[in-house]
Amino acid sequence: MPPGAERFEIAHPGRYWDRLDDGRVECRVCPRRCRVREGGRGLCFVRGVQDGEMVLTTYGRSSGFCVDPIEKKPLNHFLPGTPILSFGTAGCNLTCKFCQNWEISKAREWERLNAAVSPEQIAAAAAELDCRSVAFTYNDPVIFLEYAVDTAIACRERGIKTVAVTAGYIEPEARAEFFRPMDAANVDLKAFTEDFYHKLSTAHLDPVLDTLRYLKHETDVWVEITTLLIPTRNDSDDELKALADWVVAELGPDVPLHFSAFHPDHKMRDLPPTPPSTLRQAREIARAAGVHHVYTGNVHDSDGGSTYCPGCGTRVIERDWYELGAWHLNEVGHCLSCGTRLAGVFDGPPGTWGRRRAPVRFR
């Protein structure tokens, strides 16, 4: 190996890469198209080159497992009230200065990762814990595509659904394989300007919009969108109106939109937390634009957290943070007042997991 090159402890065969004439390997998982030399890593830090091939260095290794409420992803129209087995690995393919989970997404200390857990073990644990779904979250599963896809397939074989919590920054060919076994996704739409993506995430907006269009129009994946509102950066009325108009025009009014509160963290500690009034204003702008289901997140706001029937306006799911209250739907999601079928995945009575979080340890 060249001087200074790294030999990886885990070197699971990667997919979506090309060998270049100059000896480097180009990764084709995400639009960054990192070009990496032998023993080096891409920007995500988990995909590297060993023996002339792209490998995933975190296959089977997690930064932790926890049973969460499904609403924490956040998903409000996908098996509400049920527990979901959640896990991530380390690293990220974006460089968001405002990252709210940077201890994991920017992790470089591999000893913090748990011992190897196979896709089959994860699926079995979800079934044993009475979780109806498994979430790939905490960091972006796009960068551990092979592990996420294998786990989703193992879960599907046991009747367990899977959820991708992602920024949607992925190339079209890899995207098709990544989402094929998934049942739901929450896509983090960071903002609605290229300037924001370029300056604060060193990424681009269009690939994320392409992913959202793809999910809505070319797959059966249930999709919801989250935008973290950062004071003075992406919370202007004009930008929020443009975002909401795009959702209605390109995806349709039934795709739920979540506006979440920012707190100072990582490299953006000089800004104040998002005022609740900003979230309420964003919700009203999106509703006025025609989005049927708009939510406020990271705050106690029963009005902004609850679900309303687009047909008659009845509050059909009462929420405060992740806790469900009054329920006014039948088992397949029809409003009990007017019969309107709400968009989403409703299967049986509401879950009763509430806001609990339960860490899970594998032997």
Side-chain angles (χ1 to χ4, degrees):
M1 296 180 68
E6 185 176 356
R7 190 79 184 173
F8 306 117
E9 177 185 351
I10 296 173
H12 185 88
R15 299 195 276 276
Y16 306 106
W17 56 271
D18 291 315
R19 188 175 291 111
L20 304 178
D21 292 342
D22 63 4
R24 292 181 298 171
V25 168
E26 181 179 71
C27 181
R28 293 189 290 105
V29 169
C30 93
R32 291 192 178 279
R33 293 282 186 129
C34 292
R35 297 183 171 190
V36 186
R37 296 194 181 279
E38 179 70 28
R41 300 176 185 265
L43 178 137
C44 67
F45 206 69
V46 301
R47 308 185 78 82
V49 175
Q50 184 163 293
D51 299 328
E53 299 182 346
M54 185 64 68
V55 297
L56 174 60
T57 65
T58 54
Y59 190 101
R61 299 287 298 278
S62 167
S63 55
F65 289 84
C66 191
V67 179
D68 289 325
I70 189 78
E71 287 77 12
K72 192 175 186 295
K73 299 307 105 189
L75 289 173
N76 283 357
H77 291 241
F78 186 82
L79 304 176
T82 61
I84 182 168
L85 179 61
S86 304
F87 78 98
T89 59
C92 189
N93 61 336
L94 270 64
T95 63
C96 301
K97 294 180 180 180
F98 50 89
C99 184
Q100 309 281 280
N101 207 22
W102 63 273
E103 296 93 339
I104 293 173
S105 67
K106 307 305 177 188
R108 298 291 184 267
E109 299 176 12
W110 303 110
E111 63 270 17
R112 293 174 55 186
L113 296 180
N114 292 343
V117 181
S118 72
E120 292 74 22
Q121 285 176 295
I122 295 170
E128 183 178 342
L129 293 166
D130 292 325
C131 292
R132 297 187 62 182
S133 53
V134 167
F136 311 108
T137 182
Y138 306 145
N139 70 317
D140 202 309
V142 161
I143 63 170
F144 59 91
L145 178 147
E146 296 82 3
Y147 188 29
V149 166
D150 290 352
T151 301
I153 292 171
C155 287
R156 182 161 287 185
E157 290 174 352
R158 285 181 171 264
I160 305 293
K161 297 186 182 298
T162 49
V163 172
V165 181
T166 174
Y169 205 59
I170 186 170
E171 288 280 78
E173 186 182 5
R175 181 175 66 199
E177 180 183 7
F178 179 77
F179 285 111
R180 189 175 298 121
M182 303 293 173
D183 297 287
N186 185 289
V187 177
D188 187 7
L189 181 57
K190 307 287 182 182
F192 204 65
T193 66
E194 173 65 15
D195 186 67
F196 179 103
Y197 267 87
H198 175 67
K199 291 181 178 178
L200 298 182
S201 300
T202 62
H204 300 286
L205 172 61
D206 282 347
V208 182
L209 300 183
D210 286 344
T211 292
L212 285 166
R213 292 189 192 97
Y214 170 81
L215 286 170
K216 179 61 180 177
H217 300 297
E218 299 184 46
T219 77
D220 294 325
V221 176
W222 173 252
V223 61
E224 303 189 20
I225 300 170
T226 297
T227 298
L228 184 77
L229 294 186
I230 305 174
T232 73
R233 297 298 189 269
N234 65 349
D235 63 344
S236 73
D237 289 359
D238 288 345
E239 181 172 343
L240 295 173
K241 175 68 162 55
L243 188 159
D245 286 343
W246 183 89
V247 169
V248 173
E250 297 288 340
L251 308 179
D254 284 327
V255 172
L257 183 56
H258 302 255
F259 292 116
S260 294
F262 160 88
H263 64 263
D265 213 334
H266 194 38
K267 297 180 180 180
M268 290 185 68
R269 299 175 186 267
D270 57 333
L271 295 177
T274 308
S277 59
T278 297
L279 299 176
R280 291 193 292 267
Q281 174 73 358
R283 180 170 179 263
E284 291 308 311
I285 289 171
R287 292 178 69 192
V291 183
H292 287 164
H293 305 291
V294 190
Y295 299 99
T296 57
N298 293 344
V299 292
H300 283 289
D301 178 8
S302 183
D303 286 342
S306 296
T307 299
Y308 299 85
C309 174
C312 67
T314 297
R315 182 159 65 176
V316 290
I317 307 175
E318 180 186 18
R319 291 188 191 84
D320 184 13
W321 210 277
Y322 309 129
E323 194 82 37
L324 300 191
W327 181 271
H328 201 67
L329 297 172
N330 69 12
E331 292 194 350
V332 291
H334 291 263
C335 173
L336 294 179
S337 293
C338 71
T340 297
R341 171 71 163 86
L342 264 70
V345 178
F346 301 92
D347 181 15
T352 58
W353 180 254
R355 68 184 67 186
R356 289 174 290 159
R357 298 190 72 237
V360 177
R361 293 189 179 278
F362 285 81
R363 294 181 179 179

